[in-house]
Amino acid sequence: MEPLSFQEYICSLDPATLPRILRICSGVYFQGSVYEISGNECCLSTGDLLKVMAVVLQKVVCEDTETGQTTELPPTFKGEWGCPAPARSPWVPSSPGRPSQPPWAQPHCPTGLFQPAPARGPYQTLQGHVPEGGRQQGLTLHQALGQWDGRLQPLLCPAVGPHALLLRPVYEVHAAMHLRRDVVKIPSTLEVDVEDVTEEAQHIHFARPLLLSEVLGMEDVLPAQAEILEGPAGAAVFKSTWVLRLQRGQQLQLHSCSRTWRVLASAPSSGRHFLLSSTYQGRFRLRPRQFTGVQELAASLQPGQQLRVVVTRDCEGRGDDVPPLGVGDRLEPQRLQGNGPSTRLLCHRHGEEEEEGRELLLPLDLGGGFVEEMCDSKKYGLAELLERQVLPCEVRVVASDPGLERDALGALPALRLEARLNQPFLVGSFCQEPEEGFEIPPRWLDFSLLLSEGPVRPPVPCTRWSRVEELTEAFYYQLLAQLPGSTAPPPPRPPKPTQAGTGPGGRRPSAPGPSAPGPLPVSIRPAPPLPPLPASPRLSTPRQHGRRGPPRDAGTDSNSTEHDYETVDDNIQKTICKMKAIFPF
């Protein structure tokens, strides 16, 4: 067929013949167009193919043939039935064949319907099939539009105006395009030329990109081969090397959905964070928990579980009600008593072999140090450990996973298991290395891809590398905050940047006085970090020891703000004295 304007083609399109495939003959590009703001497509390139799926009437623009004024009618326009005729100019018939009264002035006429208007100028009267009784009672808006034959036809509608009208419908076309995820919405008034290529383009497949998270609900298409269209966006999740290879153009094999669960863990000593798979084959041993106060003891009580602790730091008493606690005392927290500020933790203090125990009521704000007393030396697997122990708990890896060449958990002195996660994963591998697999969390690591056509039967890869995944610090705190009932601590504050002219601690050095223009004397320059122990400084007063900057002149005011002083803490004084006693010089 010959190319037509998009408006002409859509107006003459029979909805019963959908879908239709169109080729763009002359493209268009509107930068910053209103169509982009309203969610419609406004950029079509020459040669693009459209698969028209549906056509929706948006509005009808009525143009008065005499005045040129336009009126917009909604698709639901029905007008009024039997309404009085509006005030119009006198009707002057121009030929004997015309009625003595205009159609809109006839009593009880269907003023919301359209009737053919006499031909005037270049326009022709309404042609084609007219419904039975349509010439006597008129046509509805949709019936009038259904008579479209590619030419503008004047119509009369008393509810709109006294003169003949030209109807210009505006449609919203819903179409599919190659490599577009969503249905494209195009206004029919877009100034492009199209041609219908439905017959010769039956074999063309309009590929629709998918998000990896959408593949989770499409297990029937797995296994499949896919190509990454856009890599993951946002902050990194894992520190693994395979994550860096998820880039545009990479070919993937998607095998199946993983049914394994995960455990969030962290290493307090190193600040590293991990995600352990339920397939991890290492062995754990429980570590005694440590508590820094009675409040933590009360929070760790679990129904049906016995807890015994040993005092690791002396704690002063509070009169006769709260006796002092000494290092080595053995306590057994039992339950809480009281309400509000008077709540106490009932503990049983075990005595020596010849002494009897004693019941203690400890206030929740009482400090101290406690360590859990336990004699369990059994080695547990991950699943067995979670059945026995309530999370969070502290463990130590006593046997590394034999399937891993380098188990990062084996070298850690302690590991804190924080929560169990039931997050869906997809098993994937790179086409270049089909035997080495990994497990991707689509809800955390989402990206767009294009599935290939045809069945794929790749070999099932080994996913041993996904048994232990190290998390980035930013994602760890984000994940910790999403846990139900989580009181996640804020991430550590980064160090302040050192500005020009400031010292390492962010303090601007004091300006030297007029009488001290030269460099600082060697005796008062900042000493380097202590290797084992620096030369013993001469102690006089704390203010002299903490002085920074050049010495003051004799004539300088003692309250001058040009100098900065620090007061040395008493503990530092005691530490220095002890070091002098141990290392005499």
Side-chain angles (χ1 to χ4, degrees):
M1 61 172 289
E2 293 295 329
L4 297 175
S5 68
F6 195 49
Q7 174 73 9
E8 291 178 350
Y9 179 84
I10 295 301
C11 290
S12 61
L13 179 63
D14 184 4
T17 63
L18 295 178
R20 307 294 295 180
I21 300 178
L22 307 180
R23 178 187 290 119
I24 305 299
C25 297
S26 60
V28 64
Y29 175 75
F30 293 120
Q31 185 174 8
S33 169
V34 67
Y35 298 124
E36 292 179 339
I37 301 176
S38 60
N40 291 343
E41 183 69 23
C42 69
C43 302
L44 298 175
S45 302
T46 301
D48 284 350
L49 294 179
L50 301 177
K51 187 175 184 180
V52 180
M53 312 295 293
V55 176
V56 180
L57 180 63
Q58 294 292 101
K59 61 183 178 181
V60 177
V61 179
C62 301
E63 180 184 353
D64 193 312
T65 58
E66 295 189 11
T67 64
Q69 296 181 352
T70 60
T71 304
E72 293 185 359
L73 302 181
T76 58
F77 172 78
K78 296 180 180 180
E80 300 174 358
W81 186 276
C83 65
R88 304 296 183 186
S89 58
W91 172 258
V92 179
S94 59
S95 63
R98 291 194 176 185
S100 58
Q101 294 292 331
W104 63 85
Q106 297 177 5
H108 307 292
C109 67
T111 57
L113 301 181
F114 294 84
Q115 293 181 349
R120 178 179 298 181
Y123 307 111
Q124 299 183 3
T125 57
L126 187 66
Q127 303 293 329
H129 173 71
V130 179
E132 183 178 356
R135 293 194 180 273
Q136 289 76 22
Q137 298 182 357
L139 303 174
T140 64
L141 179 61
H142 289 272
Q143 288 175 342
L145 296 177
Q147 306 303 317
W148 179 274
D149 62 351
R151 294 173 295 178
L152 293 175
Q153 300 166 347
L155 299 173
L156 292 173
C157 181
V160 179
H163 305 133
L165 304 172
L166 298 179
L167 303 186
R168 290 186 173 89
V170 178
Y171 295 93
E172 183 181 71
V173 181
H174 296 181
M177 295 185 67
H178 187 59
L179 295 182
R180 299 292 292 268
R181 290 189 59 248
D182 302 322
V183 174
V184 179
K185 298 179 181 180
I186 310 173
S188 62
T189 55
L190 197 63
E191 296 180 359
V192 294
D193 293 338
V194 298
E195 62 176 338
D196 195 317
V197 294
T198 304
E199 301 301 330
E200 59 218 63
Q202 292 289 340
H203 64 284
I204 296 179
H205 172 69
F206 289 83
R208 176 179 176 267
L210 297 172
L211 291 176
L212 191 64
S213 55
E214 295 178 321
V215 182
L216 281 176
M218 304 168 56
E219 295 189 41
D220 54 327
V221 303
L222 299 179
Q225 184 173 339
E227 178 184 353
I228 298 179
L229 300 180
E230 294 292 339
V237 175
F238 298 149
K239 293 184 178 181
S240 304
T241 56
W242 60 265
V243 178
L244 302 177
R245 299 175 60 183
L246 299 178
Q247 301 294 335
R248 180 185 180 93
Q250 182 66 256
Q251 298 290 329
L252 291 180
Q253 296 278 6
L254 300 178
H255 300 271
S256 61
C257 294
S258 176
R259 306 299 179 186
T260 58
W261 43 267
R262 261 70 179 177
V263 174
L264 181 64
S266 61
S269 59
S270 62
R272 301 169 66 185
H273 313 286
F274 303 91
L275 202 64
L276 310 184
S277 172
S278 58
T279 58
Y280 181 74
Q281 300 298 321
R283 309 292 289 179
F284 302 89
R285 182 174 291 165
L286 287 171
R287 292 185 76 254
R289 291 173 290 177
Q290 297 184 3
F291 310 95
T292 58
V294 178
Q295 178 73 35
E296 294 186 9
L297 282 178
S300 63
L301 291 178
Q302 298 292 339
Q305 293 187 3
Q306 190 179 31
L307 176 63
R308 291 186 178 181
V309 296
V310 178
V311 179
T312 58
R313 190 175 65 191
D314 292 336
C315 181
E316 297 181 0
R318 297 183 181 178
D320 298 335
D321 298 335
V322 181
L325 300 177
V327 175
D329 288 350
R330 300 170 61 243
L331 303 178
E332 183 178 345
Q334 296 179 347
R335 62 181 181 275
L336 293 174
Q337 288 189 357
N339 296 317
S342 60
T343 304
R344 297 289 188 271
L345 177 63
L346 176 62
C347 298
H348 178 77
R349 179 163 66 178
H350 296 274
E352 301 296 335
E353 297 181 357
E354 300 180 356
E355 298 180 4
E356 296 183 358
R358 178 183 175 185
E359 302 293 336
L360 302 178
L361 287 175
L362 304 180
L364 298 183
D365 59 346
L366 186 65
F370 310 90
V371 64
E372 184 178 10
E373 181 181 0
M374 58 185 310
C375 54
D376 185 5
S377 60
K378 182 180 177 180
K379 300 178 181 179
Y380 297 93
L382 187 58
E384 183 184 7
L385 180 64
L386 264 62
E387 292 179 359
R388 181 189 182 277
Q389 194 70 21
V390 178
L391 298 182
C393 66
E394 289 194 4
V395 297
R396 184 170 64 91
V397 178
V398 294
S400 301
D401 191 331
L404 300 179
E405 296 180 2
R406 181 180 177 274
D407 190 351
L409 306 181
L412 299 176
L415 193 66
R416 178 180 173 85
L417 305 183
E418 301 185 9
R420 170 173 170 165
L421 306 176
N422 294 316
Q423 191 72 217
F425 281 69
L426 279 176
V427 179
S429 63
F430 297 110
C431 293
Q432 302 89 339
E433 303 170 358
E435 68 283 351
E436 295 294 340
F438 44 83
E439 297 186 3
I440 314 175
R443 296 180 182 175
W444 300 338
L445 200 66
D446 207 0
F447 50 87
S448 61
L449 45 81
L450 181 64
L451 295 181
S452 61
E453 300 180 15
V456 179
R457 293 290 180 267
V460 179
C462 178
T463 58
R464 62 178 181 270
W465 302 113
S466 293
R467 296 177 184 176
V468 179
E469 293 283 4
E470 185 170 358
L471 305 178
T472 60
E473 186 176 24
F475 179 73
Y476 166 76
Y477 284 102
Q478 177 184 350
L479 184 60
L480 199 63
Q482 296 176 0
L483 297 179
S486 172
T487 56
R493 178 179 297 177
K496 294 182 179 180
T498 304
Q499 301 179 356
T502 58
R507 189 185 305 274
R508 187 176 299 274
S510 56
S515 60
L520 296 177
V522 179
S523 59
I524 61 173
R525 287 181 184 175
L530 300 175
L533 190 69
S536 175
R538 179 178 300 175
L539 297 177
S540 56
T541 63
R543 297 180 62 88
Q544 292 177 354
H545 178 76
R547 177 184 299 176
R548 293 186 179 181
R552 293 185 300 175
D553 293 338
T556 305
D557 187 7
S558 59
N559 295 328
S560 175
T561 59
E562 296 181 357
H563 302 287
D564 193 7
Y565 299 99
E566 293 181 354
T567 303
V568 178
D569 188 68
D570 293 340
N571 293 333
I572 299 180
Q573 294 280 3
K574 295 179 182 179
T575 303
I576 294 177
C577 294
K578 290 181 181 179
M579 295 172 66
K580 289 180 60 178
I582 297 175
F583 301 99
F585 292 93

